[in-house]
């Protein structure tokens, strides 16, 4: 039985979180069948490290992370921040004023145990508490897209074969209150 605590990261969590990003991103790429894209894996890990750095330097004002821990071991993460350049470009800036929820990661050994749902629910309440009524979320991972479609329905933007043939990119626009009913 998991004993999950959700909280903000601290400076002393940086090293463990960076290691966590490497594990989850590498696992995701492998499961997606694109594990050989080592440069892309490194780029994504570096982007997450920078997001975390931005959160800690701004005390959650520029980026805002939450982490899930099981007995002091980091097993999940979620964050929000400005809409990515990818989302802005793909939507012709229709979502550039919205925040983006991302970095929804669960350690491979803890997946399918409700950790992701707990992180999402906590984030929805955080957004509501901060007066954020709407956010966007995107995904280029086939496995994650199935989860997001189940939770949020069809994407608002579908970029067919964006990454390669058979690898679409999807973007959702979501109202916080619709999730808290």
């Amino acid at each position: 039985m998991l004993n999950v605590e959700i909280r903000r990261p601290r400076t002393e969590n940086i090293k463990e979180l960076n290691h966590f990003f490497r594990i989850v991103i590498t696992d995701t790429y492998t499961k997606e069948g694109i594990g050989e894209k080592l440069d892309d894996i490194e780029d994504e890990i570096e982007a997450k490290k920078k997001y975390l750095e931005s959160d800690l330097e701004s005390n959650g004002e520029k980026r805002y992370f939450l982490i899930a821990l099981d007995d002091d071991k980091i097993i999940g993460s979620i964050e929000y921040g400005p809409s990515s350049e990818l989302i802005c470009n793909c939507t012709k800036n229709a979502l550039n004023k919205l925040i983006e929820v991302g970095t929804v990661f669960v350690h491979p050994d803890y997946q399918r145990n409700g950790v992701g749902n707990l992180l999402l629910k906590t984030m929805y309440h955080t957004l509501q508490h901060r007066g954020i009524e709407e956010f966007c979320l995107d995904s280029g991972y086939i496995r994650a897209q199935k989860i997001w479609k189940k939770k949020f329905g069809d994407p608002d933007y579908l970029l067919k074969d964006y990454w390669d043939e058979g690898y679409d990119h999807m973007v959702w626009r979501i109202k916080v209150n619709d999730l808290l009913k």
Side-chain angles (χ1 to χ4, degrees), residues 2 4 16 20 24 68-70 73-77 105-107 110 115 119:
L2 295 180
V4 179
E16 185 182 356
F20 168 78
V24 176
L69 299 105
D70 180 39
K73 178 183 178 183
I74 296 171
I75 61 169
S77 70
F105 292 153
V106 177
H107 190 286
Y110 292 84
V115 176
L119 282 162

Side-chain angles (χ1 to χ4, degrees), residues 15-161:
K15 186 175 179 183
E16 185 182 356
L17 264 167
N18 288 338
H19 180 68
F20 168 78
F21 294 150
R22 179 167 299 284
I23 288 169
V24 176
I25 291 167
T26 302
D27 180 69
T28 300
Y29 271 67
T30 301
K31 287 177 178 170
E32 289 287 318
I34 54 174
E36 76 284 353
K37 295 186 177 256
L38 300 179
D39 289 343
D40 292 349
I41 290 170
E42 289 304 318
D43 289 347
E44 184 152 355
I45 292 166
E46 285 305 311
K48 300 313 177 193
K49 287 179 177 181
K50 283 184 178 23
Y51 286 178
L52 178 61
E53 189 178 297
S54 176
D55 173 327
L56 295 170
E57 286 176 356
S58 71
N59 197 27
E61 292 301 315
K62 292 184 179 172
R63 293 263 169 202
Y64 185 94
F65 269 83
L66 293 171
I67 58 174
L69 299 105
D70 180 39
D71 292 329
D72 292 329
K73 178 183 178 183
I74 296 171
I75 61 169
S77 70
I78 190 169
E79 59 87 22
Y80 78 78
S83 292
S84 70
E85 187 177 326
L86 174 60
I87 288 176
C88 292
N89 290 341
C90 291
T91 65
K92 297 186 175 121
N93 286 319
L95 306 181
N96 68 335
K97 300 241 188 291
L98 293 183
I99 62 114
E100 172 188 358
V101 170
T103 317
V104 185
F105 292 153
V106 177
H107 190 286
D109 296 342
Y110 292 84
Q111 292 173 1
R112 305 192 60 78
N113 285 301
V115 176
N117 285 329
L118 189 57
L119 282 162
L120 285 164
K121 190 177 286 189
T122 305
M123 183 59 80
Y124 302 154
H125 287 287
T126 300
L127 296 174
Q128 182 185 48
H129 179 74
R130 290 178 154 227
I132 299 168
E133 298 175 0
E134 203 172 12
F135 66 93
C136 58
L137 179 141
D138 73 330
S139 179
Y141 300 129
I142 294 168
R143 293 175 71 236
Q145 290 169 350
K146 290 177 185 170
I147 294 167
W148 300 132
K149 282 184 189 177
K150 193 173 175 183
K151 288 187 179 312
F152 305 129
D154 288 331
D156 295 282
Y157 298 87
L158 172 63
L159 300 125
K160 197 91 177 110
D161 299 327

